Amino acid sequence: MPLRLFLTSGDLMADRRFEFARDLQLKGDLAAAADLLEQTIELAPNFTSAWFTLGEIRAQLGERDKAIAAFRKSRESDPSDQHGAHLHLMRLGDAQLSGMPKAYVQALFDQYAPRFEHVLINDLDYRAPSLIFKAVVAARVAAKKPALFKRAIDLGCGTGLAAAAFAKQVDQFIGIDLSPGMIKEARATALYAELEVADMIEGLRTRTDASANLVVAADAFVYLPDLAPVLGEARRVLAPDGVLAFTLETHDGSGIVLGEGLRYAHSAEYVRDAMGKAGLKLLTLEQASPRIENNEPVRGLVVVAEKT
């Protein structure tokens, strides 16, 4: 995973105390780490990283109210919420399910970018791009249509793994990602005719109607709660007979939940309903694990749909 985000307090003594507290946290001495962080915050009351880490520790200790208070202070001291305190408040039941802070997603993947492919492929057995590729080919073969596409859009393109999977099937790839670090890595592959730093919905909105034949999103929609906006924009930019394909994480209940890994999981029922409301013809909805996490397969879905 990426290096942990650290936002300096601007006070050398406070920063050093924070480092000591983190060391105690990693060694499992949570009570001592919390006490030292309280002292650190006295030195630097707006120390975002200290408040966030204190929130994590209070949650680990089962001190829900204190955890909520610390995460609120983290968010207040950094309104852009680069640490993602709002996600923890959702997990603790203190905030309604809502979208992720863009600054959090951008900071997460900017840090992750240099190690992204190595970690995914070697440590997490990442296979979302190959799942999508196989599902698209199977769906097109079943419909007796060619699995060849003139123009494709890769949403949340990352370092270019999905474009690599489809390289022989697509004439021209456009990549969209919120992280400049990821776009830099994707540019080095020379797989894309165009790359844009933007979130998925904003990136699609800059595209003209019926301008793409394929839209793919490998493990990107797990960072969106409500899929309706992105599905609507994807349908608009797809030409007739165009294909949308993506992976998701899923769960046994209904609707959408924020999982322990701080990614959204969508039920199969929700996906079917969302695709119908978006006016897309669902071709494939199958269970498939996109990667391993904590030595267990992540429960997922691979989805293929068509604009008719």
Side-chain angles (χ1 to χ4, degrees):
M1 287 302 293
L3 298 173
R4 186 181 177 88
L5 178 66
F6 172 73
L7 301 176
T8 180
S9 68
D11 182 313
L12 184 59
M13 183 67 72
D15 285 358
R16 285 180 175 173
R17 287 194 181 187
F18 173 82
E19 290 173 6
F20 293 145
R22 274 287 291 150
D23 188 51
L24 289 169
Q25 181 191 21
L26 293 172
K27 290 177 179 176
D29 194 347
L30 300 181
D35 287 343
L36 187 52
L37 284 170
E38 294 280 9
Q39 297 171 33
T40 303
I41 289 163
E42 288 180 9
L43 288 175
N46 294 314
F47 193 173
T48 304
S49 292
W51 280 117
F52 180 80
T53 304
L54 182 59
E56 287 182 314
I57 292 171
R58 294 300 187 198
Q60 287 177 280
L61 290 169
E63 299 172 347
R64 177 179 177 273
D65 290 345
K66 289 183 177 180
I68 287 171
F71 283 129
R72 285 179 179 176
K73 290 294 291 185
S74 173
R75 191 174 58 182
E76 287 170 14
S77 60
D78 173 24
S80 71
D81 198 12
Q82 294 175 75
H83 282 289
H86 184 67
L87 300 177
H88 291 270
L89 291 171
M90 283 193 272
R91 289 279 301 165
L92 290 166
D94 186 62
Q96 297 267 336
L97 190 76
S98 57
M100 292 190 181
K102 288 183 182 180
Y104 162 76
V105 177
Q106 189 173 74
L108 176 71
F109 285 101
D110 275 348
Q111 291 179 96
Y112 204 175
R115 300 176 59 242
F116 182 77
E117 285 194 23
H118 176 81
V119 171
L120 284 184
I121 295 169
N122 295 294
D123 299 343
L124 303 180
D125 191 22
Y126 180 65
R127 48 191 177 270
S130 64
L131 289 172
I132 293 172
F133 174 76
K134 291 174 183 177
V136 167
V137 171
R140 296 295 276 188
V141 169
K144 297 181 179 179
K145 297 175 181 178
L148 300 171
F149 305 93
K150 183 177 180 180
R151 188 178 176 93
I153 298 174
D154 186 2
L155 297 175
C157 65
T159 59
L161 293 172
F166 280 89
K168 294 181 180 179
Q169 263 59 43
V170 172
D171 291 338
Q172 186 182 75
F173 247 114
I174 295 168
I176 298 170
D177 201 289
L178 185 59
S179 163
M182 288 295 190
I183 290 292
K184 179 182 177 181
E185 297 292 326
R187 184 169 288 112
T189 68
L191 289 168
Y192 296 90
E194 184 182 344
L195 287 160
E196 179 181 1
V197 177
D199 75 23
M200 291 179 279
I201 297 169
E202 290 171 351
L204 285 172
R205 283 174 179 160
T206 67
R207 307 293 154 181
T208 56
D209 293 359
S211 59
N213 309 103
L214 173 68
V215 175
V216 297
D219 256 15
F221 289 176
V222 296
Y223 296 97
L224 299 175
D226 180 12
L227 297 182
V230 75
L231 293 180
E233 286 300 318
R235 185 186 185 281
R236 181 187 61 78
V237 302
L238 281 171
D241 202 37
V243 173
L244 169 66
F246 55 92
T247 54
L248 291 169
E249 293 185 16
T250 193
H251 63 107
D252 287 328
S254 60
I256 311 156
V257 300
L258 181 66
E260 290 184 14
L262 301 182
R263 297 181 300 270
Y264 299 104
H266 302 78
S267 71
E269 178 186 6
Y270 170 87
V271 176
R272 289 191 188 94
D273 183 59
M275 299 298 269
K277 288 178 178 177
L280 290 160
K281 180 182 178 182
L282 186 61
L283 303 178
T284 305
L285 178 61
E286 297 176 349
Q287 292 194 8
S289 175
R291 67 183 174 284
I292 302 295
E293 193 167 87
N294 298 322
N295 297 315
E296 294 288 337
V298 172
R299 294 186 58 199
L301 299 169
V302 59
V303 184
V304 181
E306 185 178 71
K307 179 178 178 177
T308 56

